[in-house]
Amino acid sequence: MLAKKTALITGITGQDGSYLAELLLDEGYRVVGMTRRTSTEVHERIEHLVDRIEIVSGDLLDQSSMTKLIDDVRPSEVYNLAAQSFVPTSWSQPVLTGEFTALGVTRVLDAIRQVDTNIKFYQASSSEMFGKVQETPQREETPFYPRSPYGVAKVYGHWITVNYRESYDMFAVSGILFNHESERRGKEFVTRKITDGVARIALGLQKQLALGNLDAKRDWGFAGDYVRAMWLMLQQAGPEDYVIATGRTHTVREFCRLAFAAADLDYERYVVEDARFMRPAEVDLLIGDPSKAARVLKWVPETTFEQLIDRMVRADIARLRPLASV
Ligand code: NAP
Ligand code: F7E
C-alpha cells in the first residue's frame, strides 16, 4: 500500500483552508493545519473536520517556529494560504500586512529550503496584483500594477516564490486566484456582506445595507471549485504559475440586484452608498483568462455566478432564521 501523502496548510481556519482540507482528506492525505496562538480559539470553519485533521501551532511572523514545524511535520506539500487578506485593513495596517502577506512567504519558503527542497509549495497569489489593469482579460503574463498595500505585498510573495523556484530548483508555484466566495467567506468582504444583509433585511432584522463603490467589477467564482485548482497545480510534472478565474465579470451592483432578488427584494430600496466603504485607490475591473488552467490542469469552474449567489443567500437565511423568531 502507498504511504499517505502529508499536506501542511497555513491558514487552515480561513475560507480556503477549510475547503482545501476537505478536498485533501477526500484525496486520502494526512492533513496538518497550522494555526497561530490566540486567547480564544475560533475554528468555526473547520469544526466539522477536527477529528480528521491535525492542528499544529506556528506563526508566519516567526521564522524558527516555521522551520521547526516543517521539520516536525515533514509534509510532501505545503499550501501557504495564511495572510492578512482584507484589502482595506492593508491601508490601516500596512507594515503588518507586509510582515504576514509578503515576508511570511519568504519565511515558509526558507523553512522548506532548510529542511528539504523536495517539498512542493503552493503560494496563494491574487488578482489584486493586477490592480490598475494593464491588459484585459488578465493572464499569467499580464504586468502587475497593485493598488493597495495588500496587492503590493502579494506581488512580493509572487516573485519570491518564482525566485526560490529558480534559485533552489524547488517545486514552488503561484496560483493567481481571482475573487472566490462562499457561505464561509468573512462577513467584511462585499459578497458575504451583501448576502448577510439580504438575509437580515428579509427576516426583519435590519433595514438598510451600507456599501461603498457599486460600480467596481470583479470576476467572482466559488471557493470550493478554486481549491481543486490549487491541488492540481502541485500534481503536475513541473512547477508553473496559473490564473484561476471564471472569465466573466460583474459589478457589485449586479451582485446586489441578484442577491436581493433571490429573496424577492428590490436592492434599490435598501442599499445606500456610504463613503466609509470607499477605498483610497480602487481596483475598477478584474476579469481573468483561465485558458491555461483549462488546457493544462483540465480545470474549469463548475459553479455559476447565479448559483453562487443563490447558495450564499440561502445559507445566510437558514443561519439567521432562528434569530428572527425570538
Ligand atoms: P481568510 O479567510 O482571510 O483566511 C486567512 C487565514 O490566514 C486565516 O486562517 C488566518 O488565521 C491566517 N493567518 C493570518 N495571519 C496569520 C499569521 N500571522 N500566522 C498564521 N496564520 C495567519 O482568507 P481566504 O479567503 O481563505 O484566502 C486564503 C489565501 O488566499 C490568502 O492568502 C488570501 O490573501 C489569498 N487569496 C484569496 C482570494 C479570495 O478571493 N478569497 C483570492 C486570491 C488570493 P486566523 O483564523 O488566526 O485569523
Ligand atoms: O471587495 C467593493 C470594493 O473586499 C470587492 C480578497 O479576498 O479578493 C478580495 O479582495 C469590491 C471592491 O474583495 C463594499 O471597493 C463596495 O472593489 O469583497 P472585497 P477584494 O478587495 O476584491 C482578492 C482577489 C483578494 O486576494 C483579497 O484577499 O467591492 N465594495 N462596497 C466593497 N467591499 C467591501 N469589502 N465592503 C463594502 O461595503
Side-chain angles (χ1 to χ4, degrees):
M1 206 176 85
L2 279 176
K4 261 190 178 185
K5 283 209 263 183
T6 297
L8 174 67
I9 305 176
T10 74
I12 195 163
T13 56
Q15 170 189 257
D16 291 6
S18 67
Y19 283 110
L20 181 65
E22 285 171 7
L23 175 116
L24 294 174
L25 286 169
D26 286 349
E27 294 292 338
Y29 281 69
R30 167 185 169 227
V31 175
V32 182
M34 184 189 93
T35 61
R36 51 182 166 168
R37 195 209 159 263
T38 47
S39 64
T40 45
E41 217 180 63
V42 185
H43 291 174
E44 202 181 303
R45 297 187 181 99
I46 51 168
E47 250 164 36
H48 60 299
L49 301 174
V50 285
D51 296 338
R52 301 167 66 205
I53 59 181
E54 293 166 45
I55 295 294
V56 291
S57 184
D59 200 303
L60 285 184
L61 298 183
D62 189 78
Q63 181 69 58
S64 62
S65 77
M66 292 308 310
T67 310
K68 179 166 187 316
L69 199 148
I70 304 263
D71 199 18
D72 288 350
V73 174
R74 293 286 171 156
S76 36
E77 297 171 9
V78 173
Y79 294 86
N80 184 38
L81 309 186
Q84 190 302 95
S85 75
F86 189 46
V87 172
T89 298
S90 77
W91 277 287
S92 57
Q93 300 181 354
V95 176
L96 190 66
T97 299
E99 287 286 354
F100 285 6
T101 305
L103 279 179
V105 187
T106 311
R107 294 190 188 99
V108 183
L109 281 165
D110 211 62
I112 294 174
R113 182 188 66 79
Q114 289 178 54
V115 173
D116 177 2
T117 52
N118 289 315
I119 297 171
K120 294 182 177 178
F121 175 79
Y122 172 85
Q123 166 57 14
S125 289
S126 164
S127 52
E128 281 293 299
M129 301 190 302
F130 296 123
K132 191 170 178 180
V133 297
Q134 303 295 293
E135 179 182 38
T136 294
Q138 295 84 50
R139 55 199 177 99
E140 289 77 7
E141 293 76 22
T142 302
F144 300 136
Y145 192 143
R147 293 273 280 170
S148 63
Y150 169 82
V152 173
K154 281 289 178 186
V155 171
Y156 175 95
H158 172 83
W159 284 116
I160 200 70
T161 302
V162 174
N163 181 261
Y164 268 60
R165 175 165 82 212
E166 294 176 354
S167 302
Y168 305 112
D169 201 20
M170 282 167 56
F171 196 116
V173 308
S174 162
I176 306 174
L177 271 54
F178 283 61
N179 300 52
H180 44 279
E181 319 292 316
S182 72
E183 55 276 22
R184 297 184 197 168
R185 185 62 139 153
K187 288 197 207 88
E188 67 274 40
F189 298 92
V190 78
T191 56
R192 185 74 198 289
K193 184 174 169 183
I194 295 168
T195 61
D196 178 72
V198 166
R200 286 177 189 278
I201 291 168
L203 294 168
L205 300 167
Q206 185 175 311
K207 294 204 179 327
Q208 282 190 325
L209 179 62
L211 294 173
N213 178 11
L214 299 182
D215 297 316
K217 289 181 145 182
R218 289 291 183 278
D219 179 333
W220 279 297
F222 171 52
D225 291 342
Y226 283 41
V227 296
R228 175 160 290 278
M230 298 177 186
W231 174 70
L232 285 170
M233 283 180 219
L234 295 195
Q235 312 315 310
Q236 303 306 303
E240 287 187 38
D241 306 326
Y242 297 85
V243 158
I244 302 299
T246 70
R248 282 156 202 249
T249 194
H250 302 272
T251 59
V252 173
R253 191 184 303 282
E254 279 170 63
F255 193 104
C256 285
R257 188 174 58 74
L258 290 177
F260 277 85
D264 292 324
L265 298 169
D266 176 0
Y267 84 96
E268 290 190 88
R269 293 185 54 198
Y270 304 100
V271 171
V272 291
E273 286 198 62
D274 187 328
R276 282 179 305 153
F277 300 111
M278 301 290 183
R279 297 178 181 188
E282 178 62 285
V283 172
D284 295 319
L285 161 78
L286 289 174
I287 177 166
D289 173 359
S291 52
K292 180 179 175 188
R295 192 177 68 252
V296 182
L297 304 177
K298 312 286 177 235
W299 178 87
V300 283
E302 283 169 18
T303 311
T304 66
F305 182 62
E306 292 75 14
Q307 286 167 338
L308 172 67
I309 293 175
D310 196 54
R311 71 179 283 154
M312 289 178 69
V313 170
R314 274 193 290 110
D316 274 321
I317 290 178
R319 182 179 56 86
L320 290 167
R321 197 179 291 286
L323 291 184
S325 49
V326 287

